[in-house]
Amino acid sequence: QFLFAIGCCVLFFITIGNIFSAFVSWYSVRFSFETGANISSRLLKFYLEQPYLYFLTKNTSDLQKKILSDVTRIISCVMTPFLILFNRIIFSLSVFIGLLVIEPRVAIYTAVSLGVLYVAIYALTRNYLYSKGKWSAHYDSLKYKYLSEIFVNIKQIKLYGSEENFI
């Protein structure tokens, strides 16, 4: 009967933890997308407030890319993962503190082991991920530029029947 009571308590705490985790994840994603919409709107407002001469020296496909793609990339690849990481760190710290109270030696050993593992993974992947991010941003910029140029010149493309050159 004692084991049954302990099992019910554990199940209760796991359920509460999962509900809290789901709520925090939902709120983090919601906050991220609201922030992305806000940043995009402010960026568009900034561009619209510029004089016409500003647009003569800028490639409008780059401006479009900044509003649509770069903001989305920052939100989905930086802000949302950071918020999720922050939430998991808070959860892990609470588990660590609980474990520290119950079994200090195991808590310290586990924290040091996970810390060393994290530093090793970070050191091994940092440069690779940075270079892939730069590569992705470069080719994303080219994609917007070429698409913009195609649609600006669609009349000439159709007139000369050169659609196959752009596919």
Side-chain angles (χ1 to χ4, degrees):
Q1 199 163 19
F2 176 72
L3 285 177
F4 180 74
I6 294 291
C8 287
C9 286
V10 168
L11 182 62
F12 173 76
F13 285 119
I14 288 173
T15 302
I16 295 298
N18 285 339
I19 290 171
F20 180 73
S21 179
F23 172 75
V24 168
S25 294
W26 168 78
Y27 187 76
S28 297
V29 170
R30 180 176 164 229
F31 176 76
S32 295
F33 284 109
E34 286 176 357
T35 302
N38 186 1
I39 292 171
S40 292
S41 296
R42 288 176 33 207
L43 199 53
L44 178 60
K45 181 181 179 211
F46 170 78
Y47 290 143
L48 291 176
E49 290 172 348
Q50 301 304 311
Y52 181 71
L53 293 176
Y54 175 82
F55 295 98
L56 295 178
T57 61
K58 301 289 182 188
N59 186 340
T60 56
S61 68
D62 285 338
L63 302 179
Q64 292 172 6
K65 182 184 83 70
K66 288 178 184 174
I67 292 172
L68 298 174
S69 179
D70 288 351
V71 171
T72 301
R73 178 175 291 141
I74 289 169
I75 296 301
S76 64
C77 296
V78 176
M79 187 174 185
T80 301
F82 177 76
L83 288 172
I84 290 171
L85 176 68
F86 180 74
N87 295 332
R88 292 192 177 157
I89 287 172
I90 296 297
F91 179 76
S92 297
L93 279 176
S94 61
V95 169
F96 175 71
I97 290 169
L99 190 57
L100 194 61
V101 169
I102 296 171
E103 191 65 45
R105 192 177 323 184
V106 172
I108 292 171
Y109 176 73
T110 302
V112 169
S113 298
L114 290 176
V116 167
L117 183 64
Y118 172 78
V119 169
I121 290 171
Y122 177 75
L124 290 172
T125 61
R126 183 180 67 162
N127 290 334
Y128 175 76
L129 292 176
Y130 178 78
S131 67
K132 288 298 179 185
K134 289 290 238 186
W135 178 85
S136 176
H138 172 72
Y139 283 103
D140 200 35
S141 177
L142 289 177
K143 177 177 68 174
Y144 275 89
K145 179 181 176 189
Y146 293 147
L147 284 174
S148 179
E149 289 174 3
I150 286 171
F151 289 122
V152 165
N153 297 306
I154 192 71
K155 186 177 185 180
Q156 289 84 7
I157 292 170
K158 289 294 197 182
L159 184 64
Y160 294 116
S162 59
E163 295 90 350
E164 286 297 318
N165 296 335
F166 299 97
I167 297 176

